[in-house]
Amino acid sequence: MFRFRRLRQSSAMRDMVCETQLYPKDFIYPLFIIEGENIKESVESMPGVYRYSIDLMDEILEKIDKSGISGVLLFGVPEHKDPMGTEAYNENGIIQRAIRHIKQKYPNMVVIADICLCEYTSHGHCGVINGEHILNDETLPLLAKMAVTTVKAGADMVAPSDMMDGDVAAIRKALDENGFINTPIMGYSAKYSSAYYSPFRDAAGSAPGFGDRKSYQMDFRNGKEGLREIENDINQGADIVMVKPALAYLDVLKAAADKFDYPLAVYNVSGEYAMVKAAALNGWIDERKIVTENLTAMKRAGAKIIITYHALDMAQWLKEEYLK
Ligand code: PBG
Ligand code: ZN
């Protein structure tokens, strides 16, 4: 009989042989920045998550800066929306101003600009529309403009989440033409059309005004297609590729980790966060243990970068572990 229990007999022994260890640097914290002043608004479906106006952002930025996590993924919540999403690529838009503020005060933080039109369009779709059709190729130059303006403002990386075909190539070309040859692109490569995004849409005010996103985001019945999406983003020049959401898609994540030698990110999305928080607030689960288990599973499946609303809590818990 082989005795597996030999290496399980003490916590020191278990720590010595464990295969997967989380570190604060594994995490990216998503941040919602809202136009206006003196605003710190809680997001009802995401307890512990707030929308900040630029003047109040430092409260959370200082925590992020001290936490050891790698950086932030920024989403703008503009006052003005229109069919073309013009605030997304306004040099003085909410996201561009937020980036300038952050990079000036926290130069070491990795600032990633989410590139998509849905927070900025009056119809709430990720691309421009004609009637009820989402127009792929007409959207690409607008995404490229958003990328260039956010990088000009100081973003260290851009992350297109729109799921238009050819988005990464269009953005790469525009960045290169503007001299930003060293700015990496993180593709939201295998982004599934998911009911897990609904709390985010409350937070960002980005729910589609008609229809759904199924004509551009992926069908969750398809795993292999996720690998083709990732391969395609790599061929377009993506530096980092992503699977999103996380927990219901660990099979895709694992297959991607086995197949591609590119840094792989996973997005532990708003609905996944909301479910854990709801159960924890009811006292039905141990939040710290559940979050540790979930995030470890994402890393074990092959994620190098974990984008999560739990980032600050998890970084704090890891510190307490080390110091005990
Ligand atoms: C915007 C975007 C979404 C998310 C990230 N970028 C929402 C969507 O596609 O509707 C979801 C993030 C989350 O649920 O936490 N394109
Ligand atoms: Zn979008």
Side-chain angles (χ1 to χ4, degrees), residues 115-251:
I115 304 298
C116 196
L117 299 186
C118 57
E119 298 114 80
Y120 306 90
T121 50
S122 39
H123 46 76
H125 277 287
C126 301
V128 293
I129 59 172
N130 179 12
E132 304 244 309
H133 292 284
I134 286 75
L135 304 176
N136 193 92
D137 297 13
E138 289 80 349
T139 300
L140 299 180
L142 307 183
L143 297 168
K145 276 212 275 193
M146 184 180 186
V148 170
T149 56
T150 54
V151 173
K152 268 192 187 150
D156 299 297
M157 192 185 298
V158 292
S161 67
D162 51 278
M163 287 300 280
M164 296 298 126
D165 292 317
D167 55 353
V168 171
I171 289 169
R172 182 72 272 154
K173 185 162 176 281
L175 290 178
D176 289 353
E177 284 170 0
N178 283 274
F180 299 119
I181 56 171
N182 287 318
T183 304
I185 301 174
M186 174 164 69
Y188 278 68
S189 313
K191 176 174 175 179
Y192 286 86
S193 177
S194 171
Y196 282 104
Y197 305 153
S198 62
F200 173 96
R201 292 175 188 171
D202 294 340
S206 64
F210 65 87
D212 54 38
R213 304 209 199 288
K214 286 190 200 302
S215 76
Y216 42 107
Q217 298 181 351
M218 288 187 62
D219 184 332
F220 58 72
R221 294 172 293 190
N222 300 343
K224 290 179 179 163
E225 191 192 359
L227 300 179
R228 289 174 58 216
E229 280 273 10
I230 292 170
E231 186 171 35
N232 189 259
D233 269 10
I234 290 171
N235 291 337
Q236 289 181 51
D239 301 277
I240 299 174
V241 289
M242 190 197 300
V243 173
K244 177 187 174 188
L247 290 172
Y249 299 84
L250 292 184
D251 57 330

Side-chain angles (χ1 to χ4, degrees), residues 93-104:
I94 180 65
I95 183 102
Q96 290 79 1
R97 277 183 284 132
I99 292 165
R100 279 196 285 270
H101 174 90
I102 300 172
K103 284 311 288 188
Q104 197 187 355

